Amino acid sequence: MFGTYLLRELTHRRKQTAIIAIGMALAIALVIIVNSVAAGVRDAQAGVLASVYGVGTDVTVSRAPEAPAQGDGQSGPPAFDFGAADGQAADGSTTLAQERLNAARGTATFDAAALDTVLGVDSVSAATATLALQNTSFSGQIPTRDAASTDGSAPAGPPAGGADGAGGSSFNVDSFTVEGIDVAGAAVGPLTAATLADGRTFTAADAGSDVVVLDSDYATSADLAVGGTLSIGGADFEIIGLVASGGSNSYIPLDVAQALSGLDGQVSSIYVQAGSSSDVPQVQADIEAALPDATVSTQADLAASVSGSLSTASGLVSNLGTWLSVLVLAAAILIAILFTISGVTRRTREFGTLKAIGWSNRRIVGQVAGESLVQGAIGGVLGVAAGLVGILVVNLVAPTLTASATAQQTAGFGGQRPGGFGGAGPQAAAATTDITLHAPVTAAVILIAVGLAILGGILAGAVGGWRAARLRPAEALRSAA
Amino acid sequence: MYELKNVTKRYEQSRRTITALDDVTLSIPDGQLVAIQGPTGGGKSTLLQMLGALERPTKGSVTLGTAELATLPDSALAGIRAREVGFVFQGFNLIPTLTAQENVETALEPLRLPSAQRRSRAAAALASVGLGDRASHRPAELSGGQQQRVAIARALVKEPDVLLADEPTGSLDEETRDEIMDLLEGIWRDRGLTLIVVTHDSAVAKRAQRRLHIKQGRLTEKK
Ligand SMILES: Nc1ncnc2c1ncn2[C@@H]1O[C@H](COP(=O)(O)OP(=O)(O)O)[C@@H](O)[C@H]1O
Ligand SMILES: [Mg+2]
């Protein structure tokens, strides 16, 4: 009887059923799509961050660079000092070559003892220190003009005019990023997210050795391969592996990096993993207290540093999308409630009659609630179908988003663009990544969506049932209207 | 057996109080055919509501058999309506989306019978009012007289002790009126139940064993 009556009502009052179900379906579809796109954007952000900071990093510790002081070779562009002995005269020109390994621009180094301080903080499960460096090599030829300048006579023709304006000279400036890392296999840190493309990664035995692991993109662009050598800070390093990292151009053992750069006992970043995600705020606060000069950033802070259309999408989804779906859901539930109330009012005599022939209140409330619940569930099923179609469309279109992560406060990033030498200064260290948005569908989202639809139905049913329960059986005797 | 003692029913309204029944004392033995007459607004339907356990009196007592309808809780009153009282309304009050058969079955719903038994009893009740061949019709597909027959089948299917009818022929044309009254009278005769009919129609009232008159909530017996 319950089922027959319910089915008859829903099919007979098709318009009401359709309006309630479609309203609910729209809301549910929106919830599913917004959720799924938001998850996609989050994945993309996590991907960008993981490629920079490694997997499992909850907190990073760095130090803000001081304003570049004059003559401070560490924070300004590397200075090259060429003495007379550096040049080699040959064929009337002087060949100069020099290589420098300095702290990466935009970073400041600090004492490695900070790592022990961090490891001493409660709820820190792992931490590793790295040193972000920049290797800059300069090589070039300058025509030997000593004779011409001493005798005071001008050259016959205008200078040949190189790109840099130095007549007749040719320079080659090359720079790439080098990150000194713990080779003993840290649980957190830059290479934990990287996939090995060729060769091998570090082992504890590599400490103190001149071995380098290259980012595979950089290796391709610089035409380097496993087994070859790369000059860093004047020393020849053996290339032992290639990784798809997205972070630094190259990785070397930390102790070697410190020695070669003259930054003994110095590091530029500490990557910290908290015992659980709920510990992160406490860990951040404790580290800030223990290291007052340090900049302590959480993943959330770091996510904020991701800019570009990815962050626009993230903002759009988390603000507009969430509000829109909440609004539409509220509207759908309100519509369901109003239609249910008006339905109960229209059926006053019907419910009065059922009470007059002995139906209990509970039985009638159940009937009204059942109708609303099924309407909500139909809406839920339609909504899931529409939502899945919507997600399919998003994934077929696969919009490409760009993400830029500025490496203002953290080292090791910004290496994607070698050759920024002499550019706009510290802020220039930024990388742009193209990310194809993939909106994932999870069973949880679908369950939540269907749950919301059923919740809407229950709400409408509860309000309608409450109205029906208050009807008096004597309503049946109201003169036939 | 109905026993009403000093039954008063008042409706409190915002400005005034309406006394729909005023100190009514009445006893109706089992198996009687009673007609209730009176002007519109006199209190006929209100009296039927007291008898049918739809409402409690403001004052006084209403007993049906051993049950005191004035003090029983809602759920117990619903149980009495489900088992002992059949109601027929002026406006038929069928559920428009359900078929004739299903409308009759609604009266058995509170009794929680096995569905096969429910169906066969409803079908038999429909057949007994001459609508065995209209079981799958919706109310809209039936004439007024046929709809009232379905409503009578719905009232009878639970095999009640009392059948209450509030102007059962009030919405019907003259010819159909007689048919319905004949049907009700036949049922009363065959089943030996108590039949209480509210009617404006003196021709109908003449068939009754006993005629009551209510005016301004006051009951008088007509002989
Ligand atoms: N639910 C109610 N609320 C207020 N007044 C009511 C209600 N039901 C009936 N009445 C009033 O009680 C009086 C008797 O009504 P009723 O018993 O329906 O009369 P009848 O059936 O004889 O026409 C009328 O004045 C009517 O307006
Ligand atoms: Mg009346």
Side-chain angles (χ1 to χ4, degrees):
Chain A
M1 191 82 239
F2 176 81
T4 312
Y5 190 14
L6 194 149
L7 206 74
R8 288 286 154 79
E9 286 301 319
L10 293 191
T11 51
H12 194 254
R13 300 176 206 275
R14 270 196 206 109
K15 216 157 139 195
Q16 178 183 343
T17 303
I19 289 170
I20 292 178
I22 287 170
M24 212 57 103
L26 268 176
I28 294 315
L30 206 63
V31 166
I32 290 179
I33 292 171
V34 166
N35 248 292
S36 160
V37 170
V41 168
R42 264 198 310 278
D43 286 353
Q45 271 181 330
V48 169
L49 292 174
S51 72
V52 179
Y53 302 104
V55 168
T57 301
D58 296 312
V59 172
T60 61
V61 180
S62 60
R63 180 176 278 185
E66 284 142 35
Q70 276 210 322
D72 180 359
Q74 270 199 0
S75 50
F80 289 94
D81 302 312
F82 292 105
D86 289 331
Q88 291 176 345
D91 305 332
S93 66
T94 304
T95 303
L96 297 166
Q98 204 170 51
E99 197 167 40
R100 285 285 174 125
L101 188 60
N102 293 91
R105 285 190 313 280
T107 67
T109 59
F110 50 94
D111 197 301
L115 178 61
D116 294 326
T117 310
V118 168
L119 282 168
V121 166
D122 276 351
S123 305
V124 167
S125 67
T128 186
T130 66
L131 178 59
L133 301 169
Q134 182 143 5
N135 188 79
T136 311
S137 58
F138 175 96
S139 62
Q141 282 191 328
I142 302 173
T144 310
R145 281 191 252 166
D146 291 344
S149 40
T150 41
D151 69 8
S153 69
D164 48 17
S169 61
S170 86
F171 294 104
N172 187 18
V173 174
D174 183 35
S175 101
F176 58 90
T177 54
V178 180
E179 188 155 21
I181 65 170
D182 181 5
V183 292
V188 284
L191 283 192
T192 49
T195 46
L196 190 66
D198 195 13
R200 65 177 180 88
T201 54
F202 294 112
T203 65
D206 290 319
S209 314
D210 290 352
V211 290
V212 60
V213 170
L214 296 181
D215 173 64
S216 51
D217 286 344
Y218 176 70
T220 306
S221 68
D223 206 17
L224 295 165
V226 172
T229 56
L230 175 65
S231 173
I232 300 172
D236 278 344
F237 278 69
E238 185 196 350
I239 301 170
I240 59 166
L242 303 182
V243 294
S245 78
S248 180
N249 296 141
S250 63
Y251 300 89
I252 61 176
L254 178 60
D255 51 352
V256 177
Q258 288 169 332
L260 271 179
S261 60
L263 294 166
D264 279 314
Q266 296 281 300
V267 294
S268 58
S269 286
I270 299 174
Y271 294 76
V272 184
Q273 188 173 44
S276 81
S277 57
S278 57
D279 295 333
V280 169
Q282 191 54 48
V283 165
Q284 183 185 24
D286 289 351
I287 295 175
E288 275 170 347
L291 300 168
D293 292 336
T295 304
V296 183
S297 314
T298 62
Q299 281 283 19
D301 299 333
L302 301 176
S305 74
V306 174
S307 61
S309 61
L310 176 59
S311 88
T312 312
S314 159
L316 212 64
V317 166
S318 60
N319 295 322
L320 189 69
T322 306
W323 279 113
L324 198 67
S325 44
V326 166
L327 212 73
V328 172
L329 190 67
I333 291 178
L334 196 72
I335 285 172
I337 289 175
L338 291 179
F339 269 83
T340 305
I341 287 177
S342 97
V344 169
T345 307
R346 197 162 6 91
R347 291 159 74 188
T348 295
R349 197 152 70 103
E350 177 173 326
F351 292 134
T353 303
L354 289 172
K355 289 187 180 187
I357 66 173
W359 281 39
S360 66
N361 253 337
R362 207 195 317 154
R363 180 68 184 75
I364 286 171
V365 170
Q367 196 72 40
V368 172
E371 287 174 19
S372 293
L373 202 73
V374 171
Q375 283 166 338
I378 292 172
V381 170
L382 288 178
V384 167
L388 290 180
V389 169
I391 290 170
L392 190 71
V393 169
V394 169
N395 285 335
L396 285 179
V397 172
T400 303
L401 300 170
T402 57
S404 313
T406 45
Q408 285 275 49
Q409 29 175 248
T410 38
F413 196 56
Q416 296 278 73
R417 283 186 169 168
F421 172 71
Q427 298 95 320
T432 303
T433 321
D434 282 346
I435 290 165
T436 305
L437 182 69
H438 173 79
V441 183
T442 60
V445 166
I446 288 178
L447 280 178
I448 288 170
V450 172
L452 283 173
I454 289 174
L455 187 79
I458 288 176
L459 242 112
V463 175
W466 175 73
R467 293 279 290 225
R470 277 167 29 119
L471 294 176
R472 298 173 325 129
E475 298 286 357
L477 289 172
R478 278 268 175 90
S479 55
Chain B
M1 175 83 178
Y2 273 113
E3 206 69 71
L4 282 74
K5 282 201 187 102
N6 308 107
V7 171
T8 297
K9 178 68 179 177
R10 291 200 186 93
Y11 291 107
E12 302 289 345
Q13 290 198 317
S14 50
R15 283 168 161 245
R16 60 203 178 116
T17 302
I18 294 164
T19 305
L21 288 180
D22 189 359
D23 199 31
V24 172
T25 298
L26 170 70
S27 151
I28 302 171
D30 285 342
Q32 211 167 39
L33 201 175
V34 181
I36 300 172
Q37 289 181 284
T40 299
K44 305 183 295 294
S45 294
T46 307
L47 177 60
L48 225 54
Q49 285 172 30
M50 302 298 127
L51 299 173
L54 299 186
E55 289 271 327
R56 293 190 194 85
T58 312
K59 253 194 241 164
S61 80
V62 180
T63 51
L64 171 59
T66 55
E68 175 50 75
L69 305 186
T71 53
L72 281 177
D74 282 352
S75 56
L77 292 183
I80 286 171
R81 297 196 295 267
R83 288 185 306 272
E84 296 175 32
V85 182
F87 237 110
V88 178
F89 310 92
Q90 179 179 355
F92 322 138
N93 293 21
L94 298 177
I95 290 163
T97 55
L98 298 181
T99 64
Q101 164 83 22
E102 288 156 359
N103 263 288
V104 175
E105 286 184 35
T106 58
L108 298 177
E109 178 74 1
L111 304 184
R112 297 182 185 178
L113 300 174
S115 57
Q117 202 181 333
R118 197 181 64 212
R119 257 175 242 129
S120 65
R121 272 178 72 172
L126 266 184
S128 76
V129 297
L131 286 178
D133 57 341
R134 295 284 195 274
S136 59
H137 288 233
R138 300 267 178 82
E141 297 160 353
L142 299 171
S143 73
Q146 287 172 327
Q147 287 185 56
Q148 195 60 302
R149 283 167 186 268
V150 174
I152 291 168
R154 178 178 63 184
L156 284 179
V157 71
K158 66 182 85 160
E159 292 171 354
D161 304 327
V162 183
L163 190 57
L164 304 174
D166 193 359
E167 303 192 37
T169 58
S171 304
L172 302 172
D173 58 48
E174 211 161 324
E175 210 173 310
T176 321
R177 255 179 236 178
D178 291 341
E179 269 177 43
I180 294 298
M181 269 325 291
D182 289 346
L183 179 64
L184 285 174
E185 207 180 330
I187 287 163
W188 168 70
R189 218 178 290 283
D190 294 347
R191 306 205 179 199
L193 42 68
T194 308
L195 175 58
I196 301 170
V197 187
V198 170
T199 181
H200 279 301
D201 192 336
S202 314
V204 170
K206 282 203 181 85
R207 305 183 185 210
Q209 294 177 312
R210 186 176 171 195
R211 285 153 73 187
L212 301 174
H213 193 88
I214 301 187
K215 193 178 173 183
Q216 292 182 321
R218 297 201 150 266
L219 183 86
T220 48
E221 196 104 16
K222 269 191 172 180
K223 244 302 118 266

